[in-house]
Amino acid sequence: MKVGIIGLGRMGKIFAREFNKRYSVIFFDPGVKEDKSLRRVDSLEEIAKQSDVVIIATPLGKVPEIAREVGEIVRRNRKKEKIIFDIASLKKEVIKVYRDYPRSVRV
């Protein structure tokens, strides 16, 4: 299983460290050019296509936008059996986005 983490800040690094113990982990974060223990991809498109599980670990204000983009990529590429979740503490706006995800995606 491959885990993709969007956002490699404090929380993203914690998730990366823990998941990296058992799974292959890749990340995308425009502000982080490299990480010694993880493979960086260059776009949301790559992370959405290559990952079985996508973790959105961005600042709260960016979560709905990122979730929307990931959903569009998944729909466009007809990716099935994907798990997507975020670590945002407030869900009102992001729930609206997740309602439009394909039924094959577990949120």
Side-chain angles (χ1 to χ4, degrees):
M1 180 169 68
K2 187 173 284 184
V3 177
I5 300 176
I6 302 170
L8 206 61
R10 278 187 304 217
M11 292 303 294
K13 285 181 183 175
I14 291 170
F15 277 95
R17 182 183 68 226
E18 293 306 313
F19 277 106
N20 206 24
K21 291 176 183 177
R22 298 189 81 189
Y23 306 106
S24 173
V25 176
I26 59 176
F27 80 94
F28 172 70
D29 187 322
V32 178
K33 297 302 177 200
E34 66 179 73
D35 184 279
K36 292 177 183 172
S37 62
L38 304 172
R39 185 171 68 87
R40 182 185 191 278
V41 296
D42 294 323
S43 68
L44 288 175
E45 184 97 20
E46 286 181 71
I47 212 156
K49 285 181 176 180
Q50 295 180 31
S51 303
D52 302 300
V53 176
V54 177
I55 301 169
I56 302 172
T58 61
L60 182 60
K62 292 204 171 257
V63 172
E65 170 190 343
I66 298 294
R68 190 172 294 109
E69 287 182 52
V70 169
E72 289 170 6
I73 293 164
V74 169
R75 266 191 296 285
R76 195 169 52 243
N77 292 286
R78 295 192 168 98
K79 292 291 185 181
K80 298 192 188 271
E81 300 301 316
K82 193 168 293 288
I83 298 170
I84 300 172
F85 72 92
D86 67 83
I87 62 166
S89 56
L90 301 174
K91 301 287 186 199
K92 182 179 179 181
E93 293 303 314
V94 77
I95 286 172
K96 293 175 187 174
V97 174
Y98 289 148
R99 285 185 180 139
D100 290 332
Y101 271 37
R103 288 184 170 279
S104 63
V105 175
R106 293 181 290 181
V107 178

